[in-house]
Amino acid sequence: MNLQELKRRGYIATLQRKDFILYTGLIVLAHERGLVSIETEPVQLDFENARFIFKAVVTGKDGQRYTGYGDATRHNVSKMILPHAVRMAETRAKARALRDFTGLGLTSLEELGGPE
């Protein structure tokens, strides 16, 4: 699936004239390209300081592996997202690993969530 097809299917969002892939689109594209598994593990869970880091490893059918890290802190997520910062860190890690796996050069929309 190419970029135009991703747009046609609604997997691309445009904010301030810049395109972002939706996490759902990354999953669809990854399955199309032979995704076998996504494994995550926490690297840091600091609830006192609201700092969370996850590692994600994406594996394809040919054994290729791609690793991504994602973080979420009170400094890089909005107040609305902060209560969900653990999940945001994990989603960011998966999205980064999936972007490498798929070779897609777009940032995922879910990686945003910056401060207000």
Side-chain angles (χ1 to χ4, degrees), residues 4-42:
Q4 292 305 322
E5 182 64 15
L6 288 167
K7 282 183 180 183
R8 191 186 70 71
R9 292 187 181 189
Y11 295 130
I12 303 288
T14 303
L15 297 175
Q16 298 178 349
R17 297 188 308 261
K18 184 171 180 181
D19 288 338
F20 297 90
I21 181 84
L22 299 177
Y23 181 79
T24 306
L26 280 171
I27 292 291
V28 168
L29 191 57
H31 277 290
E32 183 180 272
R33 296 185 181 180
L35 174 67
V36 172
S37 68
I38 304 173
E39 298 176 25
T40 64
E41 66 179 86

Short mmCIF file of all heavy atoms in Angstrom, two decimals, residues 4-42:
data_model
loop_
_atom_site.label_atom_id
_atom_site.label_comp_id
_atom_site.label_asym_id
_atom_site.label_seq_id
_atom_site.Cartn_x
_atom_site.Cartn_y
_atom_site.Cartn_z
N GLN A 4 -0.66 7.29 -1.15
CA GLN A 4 -1.96 7.73 -1.66
C GLN A 4 -3.08 6.79 -1.22
O GLN A 4 -4.18 7.24 -0.88
CB GLN A 4 -1.93 7.84 -3.20
CG GLN A 4 -1.03 8.96 -3.70
CD GLN A 4 -1.39 10.31 -3.10
OE1 GLN A 4 -2.55 10.65 -2.90
NE2 GLN A 4 -0.37 11.11 -2.80
N GLU A 5 -2.80 5.49 -1.21
CA GLU A 5 -3.81 4.52 -0.77
C GLU A 5 -4.06 4.66 0.74
O GLU A 5 -5.20 4.56 1.19
CB GLU A 5 -3.36 3.09 -1.10
CG GLU A 5 -4.35 2.02 -0.73
CD GLU A 5 -5.68 2.08 -1.47
OE1 GLU A 5 -5.79 2.78 -2.50
OE2 GLU A 5 -6.63 1.42 -1.00
N LEU A 6 -3.02 4.91 1.51
CA LEU A 6 -3.20 5.15 2.94
C LEU A 6 -4.08 6.37 3.17
O LEU A 6 -4.97 6.35 4.03
CB LEU A 6 -1.84 5.34 3.62
CG LEU A 6 -0.97 4.10 3.78
CD1 LEU A 6 0.46 4.49 4.18
CD2 LEU A 6 -1.56 3.15 4.81
N LYS A 7 -3.86 7.43 2.39
CA LYS A 7 -4.69 8.63 2.50
C LYS A 7 -6.13 8.31 2.12
O LYS A 7 -7.07 8.72 2.82
CB LYS A 7 -4.15 9.74 1.59
CG LYS A 7 -2.96 10.45 2.14
CD LYS A 7 -2.54 11.59 1.22
CE LYS A 7 -1.33 12.30 1.79
NZ LYS A 7 -0.91 13.45 0.97
N ARG A 8 -6.32 7.60 1.01
CA ARG A 8 -7.66 7.26 0.54
C ARG A 8 -8.44 6.47 1.58
O ARG A 8 -9.64 6.66 1.76
CB ARG A 8 -7.57 6.48 -0.77
CG ARG A 8 -8.93 6.30 -1.47
CD ARG A 8 -8.85 5.41 -2.68
NE ARG A 8 -8.63 4.02 -2.35
CZ ARG A 8 -9.52 3.20 -1.78
NH1 ARG A 8 -10.71 3.65 -1.46
NH2 ARG A 8 -9.24 1.94 -1.54
N ARG A 9 -7.75 5.60 2.30
CA ARG A 9 -8.41 4.76 3.31
C ARG A 9 -8.56 5.45 4.66
O ARG A 9 -9.08 4.88 5.60
CB ARG A 9 -7.64 3.46 3.49
CG ARG A 9 -7.71 2.55 2.29
CD ARG A 9 -7.07 1.24 2.60
NE ARG A 9 -7.10 0.36 1.45
CZ ARG A 9 -6.76 -0.91 1.50
NH1 ARG A 9 -6.37 -1.45 2.64
NH2 ARG A 9 -6.80 -1.65 0.43
N GLY A 10 -8.08 6.69 4.78
CA GLY A 10 -8.26 7.46 6.00
C GLY A 10 -7.22 7.19 7.08
O GLY A 10 -7.43 7.50 8.25
N TYR A 11 -6.06 6.64 6.69
CA TYR A 11 -5.01 6.34 7.65
C TYR A 11 -3.99 7.46 7.79
O TYR A 11 -3.03 7.34 8.54
CB TYR A 11 -4.27 5.05 7.27
CG TYR A 11 -5.13 3.81 7.33
CD1 TYR A 11 -5.17 2.92 6.27
CD2 TYR A 11 -5.88 3.52 8.45
CE1 TYR A 11 -5.93 1.78 6.32
CE2 TYR A 11 -6.67 2.39 8.51
CZ TYR A 11 -6.68 1.51 7.45
OH TYR A 11 -7.44 0.38 7.51
N ILE A 12 -4.20 8.56 7.07
CA ILE A 12 -3.31 9.71 7.13
C ILE A 12 -4.12 10.91 7.61
O ILE A 12 -5.19 11.19 7.09
CB ILE A 12 -2.69 10.03 5.75
CG1 ILE A 12 -1.94 8.84 5.17
CG2 ILE A 12 -1.82 11.28 5.82
CD1 ILE A 12 -0.64 8.52 5.85
N ALA A 13 -3.60 11.60 8.61
CA ALA A 13 -4.22 12.84 9.09
C ALA A 13 -3.29 13.99 8.72
O ALA A 13 -2.07 13.84 8.73
CB ALA A 13 -4.42 12.78 10.60
N THR A 14 -3.88 15.13 8.41
CA THR A 14 -3.09 16.32 8.08
C THR A 14 -3.35 17.38 9.14
O THR A 14 -4.49 17.75 9.39
CB THR A 14 -3.47 16.85 6.68
OG1 THR A 14 -3.28 15.81 5.73
CG2 THR A 14 -2.60 18.04 6.30
N LEU A 15 -2.27 17.82 9.76
CA LEU A 15 -2.34 18.90 10.75
C LEU A 15 -1.35 19.98 10.35
O LEU A 15 -0.18 19.69 10.10
CB LEU A 15 -1.96 18.39 12.15
CG LEU A 15 -2.85 17.33 12.78
CD1 LEU A 15 -2.25 16.85 14.08
CD2 LEU A 15 -4.24 17.89 13.02
N GLN A 16 -1.84 21.20 10.26
CA GLN A 16 -1.01 22.33 9.86
C GLN A 16 -0.21 22.01 8.59
O GLN A 16 1.00 22.21 8.51
CB GLN A 16 -0.09 22.74 11.01
CG GLN A 16 -0.86 23.19 12.22
CD GLN A 16 0.03 23.54 13.40
OE1 GLN A 16 1.23 23.27 13.41
NE2 GLN A 16 -0.56 24.15 14.41
N ARG A 17 -0.90 21.44 7.61
CA ARG A 17 -0.35 21.10 6.29
C ARG A 17 0.75 20.04 6.32
O ARG A 17 1.55 19.93 5.39
CB ARG A 17 0.12 22.36 5.57
CG ARG A 17 -1.01 23.34 5.28
CD ARG A 17 -0.57 24.48 4.40
NE ARG A 17 0.61 25.17 4.85
CZ ARG A 17 0.61 26.32 5.52
NH1 ARG A 17 -0.51 26.90 5.81
NH2 ARG A 17 1.74 26.88 5.87
N LYS A 18 0.81 19.26 7.41
CA LYS A 18 1.78 18.18 7.50
C LYS A 18 1.04 16.86 7.70
O LYS A 18 0.11 16.79 8.51
CB LYS A 18 2.76 18.42 8.66
CG LYS A 18 3.84 17.39 8.73
CD LYS A 18 4.91 17.75 9.73
CE LYS A 18 5.94 16.63 9.71
NZ LYS A 18 7.01 16.83 10.64
N ASP A 19 1.47 15.82 6.99
CA ASP A 19 0.82 14.52 7.10
C ASP A 19 1.39 13.68 8.24
O ASP A 19 2.60 13.69 8.47
CB ASP A 19 1.00 13.73 5.79
CG ASP A 19 0.16 14.28 4.65
OD1 ASP A 19 -0.84 14.98 4.93
OD2 ASP A 19 0.50 14.01 3.49
N PHE A 20 0.49 12.96 8.91
CA PHE A 20 0.84 12.03 9.98
C PHE A 20 0.10 10.73 9.75
O PHE A 20 -1.08 10.74 9.37
CB PHE A 20 0.45 12.59 11.35
CG PHE A 20 1.18 13.86 11.71
CD1 PHE A 20 0.66 15.10 11.36
CD2 PHE A 20 2.39 13.80 12.38
CE1 PHE A 20 1.33 16.26 11.68
CE2 PHE A 20 3.08 14.96 12.70
CZ PHE A 20 2.55 16.19 12.35
N ILE A 21 0.76 9.61 9.99
CA ILE A 21 0.11 8.31 9.86
C ILE A 21 -0.60 7.99 11.17
O ILE A 21 -0.08 8.30 12.26
CB ILE A 21 1.14 7.20 9.51
CG1 ILE A 21 0.49 5.84 9.34
CG2 ILE A 21 2.24 7.10 10.56
CD1 ILE A 21 -0.08 5.59 8.00
N LEU A 22 -1.79 7.42 11.09
CA LEU A 22 -2.48 6.95 12.28
C LEU A 22 -1.88 5.60 12.69
O LEU A 22 -1.45 4.82 11.84
CB LEU A 22 -3.97 6.79 12.02
CG LEU A 22 -4.73 8.05 11.61
CD1 LEU A 22 -6.18 7.72 11.32
CD2 LEU A 22 -4.64 9.10 12.70
N TYR A 23 -1.89 5.31 13.97
CA TYR A 23 -1.35 4.04 14.46
C TYR A 23 -2.04 2.87 13.76
O TYR A 23 -1.38 1.90 13.36
CB TYR A 23 -1.52 3.95 15.98
CG TYR A 23 -0.97 2.68 16.55
CD1 TYR A 23 0.39 2.53 16.76
CD2 TYR A 23 -1.81 1.62 16.87
CE1 TYR A 23 0.91 1.36 17.28
CE2 TYR A 23 -1.30 0.44 17.38
CZ TYR A 23 0.06 0.32 17.59
OH TYR A 23 0.57 -0.85 18.08
N THR A 24 -3.33 2.97 13.56
CA THR A 24 -4.08 1.92 12.85
C THR A 24 -3.51 1.68 11.46
O THR A 24 -3.39 0.55 11.01
CB THR A 24 -5.57 2.31 12.73
OG1 THR A 24 -6.06 2.61 14.03
CG2 THR A 24 -6.39 1.20 12.13
N GLY A 25 -3.15 2.74 10.78
CA GLY A 25 -2.56 2.61 9.45
C GLY A 25 -1.21 1.91 9.50
O GLY A 25 -0.88 1.11 8.63
N LEU A 26 -0.43 2.19 10.54
CA LEU A 26 0.85 1.50 10.70
C LEU A 26 0.64 0.00 10.87
O LEU A 26 1.36 -0.82 10.30
CB LEU A 26 1.62 2.04 11.91
CG LEU A 26 2.37 3.35 11.72
CD1 LEU A 26 2.87 3.87 13.06
CD2 LEU A 26 3.52 3.16 10.74
N ILE A 27 -0.35 -0.36 11.67
CA ILE A 27 -0.64 -1.79 11.90
C ILE A 27 -1.08 -2.46 10.60
O ILE A 27 -0.59 -3.55 10.25
CB ILE A 27 -1.73 -1.95 12.99
CG1 ILE A 27 -1.18 -1.52 14.35
CG2 ILE A 27 -2.25 -3.38 13.05
CD1 ILE A 27 -0.11 -2.43 14.92
N VAL A 28 -1.98 -1.83 9.87
CA VAL A 28 -2.45 -2.39 8.60
C VAL A 28 -1.28 -2.57 7.64
O VAL A 28 -1.11 -3.63 7.03
CB VAL A 28 -3.55 -1.49 7.98
CG1 VAL A 28 -3.84 -1.89 6.54
CG2 VAL A 28 -4.82 -1.55 8.81
N LEU A 29 -0.46 -1.55 7.51
CA LEU A 29 0.70 -1.60 6.62
C LEU A 29 1.69 -2.67 7.06
O LEU A 29 2.23 -3.42 6.25
CB LEU A 29 1.36 -0.22 6.57
CG LEU A 29 2.43 0.01 5.52
CD1 LEU A 29 1.90 -0.25 4.11
CD2 LEU A 29 2.94 1.45 5.63
N ALA A 30 1.93 -2.77 8.36
CA ALA A 30 2.86 -3.76 8.89
C ALA A 30 2.37 -5.18 8.62
O ALA A 30 3.16 -6.06 8.24
CB ALA A 30 3.08 -3.54 10.39
N HIS A 31 1.09 -5.42 8.80
CA HIS A 31 0.54 -6.75 8.49
C HIS A 31 0.71 -7.08 7.01
O HIS A 31 1.06 -8.20 6.65
CB HIS A 31 -0.93 -6.85 8.90
CG HIS A 31 -1.11 -7.16 10.35
ND1 HIS A 31 -0.82 -8.37 10.92
CD2 HIS A 31 -1.55 -6.37 11.37
CE1 HIS A 31 -1.07 -8.34 12.21
NE2 HIS A 31 -1.51 -7.12 12.51
N GLU A 32 0.49 -6.08 6.18
CA GLU A 32 0.66 -6.26 4.74
C GLU A 32 2.10 -6.62 4.40
O GLU A 32 2.36 -7.35 3.45
CB GLU A 32 0.26 -4.96 4.03
CG GLU A 32 0.31 -5.02 2.53
CD GLU A 32 -0.09 -3.70 1.93
OE1 GLU A 32 -1.30 -3.49 1.70
OE2 GLU A 32 0.80 -2.85 1.68
N ARG A 33 3.05 -6.14 5.19
CA ARG A 33 4.47 -6.36 4.91
C ARG A 33 5.09 -7.48 5.75
O ARG A 33 6.30 -7.60 5.81
CB ARG A 33 5.23 -5.05 5.12
CG ARG A 33 4.76 -4.01 4.10
CD ARG A 33 5.52 -2.75 4.13
NE ARG A 33 4.97 -1.82 3.14
CZ ARG A 33 5.44 -0.62 2.93
NH1 ARG A 33 6.48 -0.19 3.61
NH2 ARG A 33 4.88 0.16 2.03
N GLY A 34 4.23 -8.29 6.40
CA GLY A 34 4.72 -9.49 7.07
C GLY A 34 4.97 -9.38 8.56
O GLY A 34 5.78 -10.14 9.11
N LEU A 35 4.26 -8.52 9.24
CA LEU A 35 4.39 -8.40 10.69
C LEU A 35 4.06 -9.74 11.35
O LEU A 35 3.05 -10.36 11.06
CB LEU A 35 3.43 -7.33 11.23
CG LEU A 35 3.36 -7.19 12.76
CD1 LEU A 35 4.67 -6.66 13.31
CD2 LEU A 35 2.20 -6.30 13.14
N VAL A 36 4.94 -10.18 12.25
CA VAL A 36 4.71 -11.40 13.02
C VAL A 36 4.38 -11.06 14.48
O VAL A 36 3.47 -11.63 15.05
CB VAL A 36 5.94 -12.33 12.96
CG1 VAL A 36 5.80 -13.50 13.92
CG2 VAL A 36 6.15 -12.82 11.54
N SER A 37 5.13 -10.12 15.06
CA SER A 37 4.88 -9.80 16.46
C SER A 37 5.36 -8.41 16.83
O SER A 37 6.22 -7.83 16.16
CB SER A 37 5.57 -10.82 17.38
OG SER A 37 6.97 -10.69 17.31
N ILE A 38 4.78 -7.91 17.91
CA ILE A 38 5.22 -6.68 18.55
C ILE A 38 5.33 -7.01 20.04
O ILE A 38 4.36 -7.43 20.65
CB ILE A 38 4.22 -5.51 18.39
CG1 ILE A 38 3.92 -5.24 16.93
CG2 ILE A 38 4.76 -4.26 19.07
CD1 ILE A 38 2.80 -4.21 16.73
N GLU A 39 6.52 -6.83 20.57
CA GLU A 39 6.73 -7.07 21.99
C GLU A 39 7.18 -5.77 22.64
O GLU A 39 7.99 -5.03 22.07
CB GLU A 39 7.80 -8.14 22.20
CG GLU A 39 7.41 -9.48 21.62
CD GLU A 39 8.51 -10.51 21.75
OE1 GLU A 39 9.36 -10.38 22.66
OE2 GLU A 39 8.54 -11.43 20.92
N THR A 40 6.63 -5.49 23.82
CA THR A 40 7.02 -4.27 24.53
C THR A 40 7.50 -4.62 25.93
O THR A 40 7.13 -5.65 26.49
CB THR A 40 5.85 -3.28 24.64
OG1 THR A 40 4.82 -3.85 25.44
CG2 THR A 40 5.32 -2.88 23.28
N GLU A 41 8.33 -3.75 26.45
CA GLU A 41 8.75 -3.89 27.84
C GLU A 41 9.03 -2.50 28.40
O GLU A 41 9.55 -1.63 27.71
CB GLU A 41 9.98 -4.78 27.99
CG GLU A 41 11.24 -4.23 27.38
CD GLU A 41 12.44 -5.14 27.57
OE1 GLU A 41 12.61 -6.05 26.73
OE2 GLU A 41 13.19 -4.93 28.55
N PRO A 42 8.67 -2.31 29.67
CA PRO A 42 8.96 -1.02 30.29
C PRO A 42 10.45 -0.90 30.56
O PRO A 42 11.09 -1.85 30.99
CB PRO A 42 8.16 -1.05 31.59
CG PRO A 42 7.91 -2.49 31.87
CD PRO A 42 7.93 -3.20 30.55
#
